[in-house]
Amino acid sequence: HAKASGRDTHRFYAEAMNAEAVAHLSTRSSLRRALERQEFLIHYQPQVSLETGAVIGAEALLRWNHPDKGMIPPGAFIPVAEDSGLIVPIGAWVLAEACRQAARWRSQGLSLSIAVNLSALQLQRNDLVRTVTQALADSGLDPLLLELELTESMLIQNTELVIDNLRRIKAMGIQVSIDDFGTGYSNLSYIGRLAVDKLKIDRSFVADLTRNHDSAKITAAVIQMAHSLNLTAVAEGVEDAETLEALRLLRCDVAQGYFLGRPGPAEAVERAARQVNPFKVKV
Ligand code: C2E
Ligand code: MG
Ligand code: MG
Ligand code: MG
């Protein structure tokens, strides 16, 4: 029986693996199809100056508008896109589209920066600078208005190629920010070496800032560190007025979160940016 059950077990795993492989494949091929059929779109989330209350930019957040399943968030498909390498063409599309949108805002008299998330695979390619240059040239966007978001883990493997890519991106005048700061690698030496511009304090610290003493201390420390290095401190995940006020008192520079605006169509950012004091930030 041991042999039979062993064989069954083996068959069970073989089938499971097969099913998984098929599911993976279908997602991968449907991602490729999605790109061809233009099912991807970008939602924009406003970024607000805590000094003036004005919308100063937006983050581009990828969405997949699936014909059957509806709007799919990036967490559900970006891992597959990364594993299959499809994040490279998808990421190039995001860059091009986000730059086009920021250039459109600029032509409407709105000078808003646009932040685009990069994957490790994009940062490790020798055509990254060409892709970014192309997106800027095609859109006519001022490089000073483009910001690229990296995570700490992407900078652990700071190979010569990664360092060179970042150096060339910085030389073009593009801003570089560290996303989800505080959740990753604790070796901070890269911050000075790679000349980043902004630290985005992870939402896990910001979310319970007003209730959790440790989160408050960590947030305050990151803001102080950012300022002593001449970097901009950005808080993500601001969900209420109390948190916004606490961040303002801590002299955080920029905030982003559902309280200030959910990710949505470009027009929502546009409307908010045209208001004088859009989110009733006390100044
Ligand atoms: P992220 O770059 O850290 O983006 C912030 C995420 O937090 C977004 O989730 C946003 O919708 C969400 N968020 C913003 N404010 C709040 C808030 O007040 N409360 C809560 N609970 N959440 C808030 P989203 O859009 O699902 O994106 C998730 C992640 O997917 C992003 O995290 C980013 O790492 C990745 N991603 C999104 N777009 C792209 C892209 O074009 N390329 C790559 N490589 N990754 C992307
Ligand atoms: Mg981000
Ligand atoms: Mg983040
Ligand atoms: Mg994140």
Side-chain angles (χ1 to χ4, degrees):
H1 308 330
K3 198 175 178 187
S5 80
R7 199 162 47 227
D8 284 351
T9 304
H10 182 258
R11 200 182 58 189
F12 173 78
Y13 279 123
E15 277 172 6
M17 274 168 57
N18 205 30
E20 198 181 293
V22 168
H24 186 267
L25 239 180
S26 75
T27 314
R28 175 188 171 161
S29 58
S30 55
L31 277 176
R32 185 174 291 121
R33 229 178 310 128
L35 193 57
E36 284 161 9
R37 295 180 185 176
Q38 306 183 336
E39 291 169 5
F40 291 113
L41 65 132
I42 299 177
H43 275 172
Y44 297 88
Q45 185 176 36
Q47 299 181 323
V48 174
S49 160
L50 286 173
E51 204 184 317
T52 65
V55 174
I56 55 168
E59 178 174 2
L61 295 159
L62 183 59
R63 301 288 181 264
W64 179 8
N65 192 6
H66 193 281
D68 310 319
K69 296 174 196 160
M71 207 67 88
I72 305 179
F77 64 88
I78 281 187
V80 180
E82 286 174 336
D83 287 348
S84 60
L86 275 176
I87 194 65
V88 173
I90 294 173
W93 177 82
V94 173
L95 260 168
E97 180 61 23
C99 287
R100 271 195 294 273
Q101 182 55 59
R104 222 173 285 141
W105 281 330
R106 190 72 198 79
S107 72
Q108 295 164 355
L110 291 170
S111 191
L112 300 174
S113 64
I114 185 75
V116 176
N117 293 282
L118 284 192
S119 279
L121 200 58
Q122 292 172 277
L123 191 60
Q124 289 159 359
R125 286 177 63 97
N126 61 17
D127 61 0
L128 176 68
V129 171
R130 202 190 319 143
T131 304
V132 171
T133 305
Q134 189 79 49
L136 288 169
D138 289 348
S139 63
L141 183 69
D142 182 345
L144 298 175
L145 290 175
L146 179 61
E147 186 180 317
L148 298 178
E149 296 195 358
L150 318 172
T151 58
E152 294 164 272
S153 64
M154 288 164 64
L155 299 170
I156 300 175
Q157 335 93 309
N158 50 37
T159 59
E160 246 169 77
L161 182 55
V162 165
I163 292 168
D164 192 52
N165 275 342
L166 281 172
R167 193 184 50 73
R168 292 165 69 191
I169 278 165
K170 289 294 308 164
M172 291 165 74
I174 296 164
Q175 307 275 305
V176 172
S177 58
I178 306 299
D179 205 353
D180 307 336
F181 187 78
T183 61
Y185 194 48
S186 62
N187 182 344
L188 300 176
S189 63
Y190 69 86
I191 291 178
R193 223 178 34 241
L194 300 178
V196 305
D197 302 285
K198 299 186 185 183
L199 299 182
K200 295 190 76 176
I201 309 163
D202 191 69
R203 123 169 99 78
S204 60
F205 304 116
V206 176
D208 63 356
L209 181 62
T210 55
R211 296 179 301 276
N212 182 322
H213 200 61
D214 287 340
S215 294
K217 289 277 185 192
I218 292 166
T219 301
V222 173
I223 293 168
Q224 263 178 30
M225 186 185 77
H227 289 167
S228 67
L229 291 166
N230 270 322
L231 309 179
T232 300
V234 182
E236 5 180 53
V238 178
E239 295 188 352
D240 54 54
E242 295 70 42
T243 305
L244 190 66
E245 179 60 12
L247 288 163
R248 208 179 60 79
L249 292 173
L250 289 170
R251 295 283 177 266
C252 186
D253 304 289
V254 178
Q256 195 181 332
Y258 291 169
F259 180 69
L260 298 165
R262 289 189 176 250
E267 294 71 37
V269 172
E270 216 170 283
R271 271 194 303 277
R274 291 200 190 282
Q275 288 171 26
V276 179
N277 206 352
F279 300 117
K280 299 187 220 67
V281 179
K282 290 180 218 144
V283 290

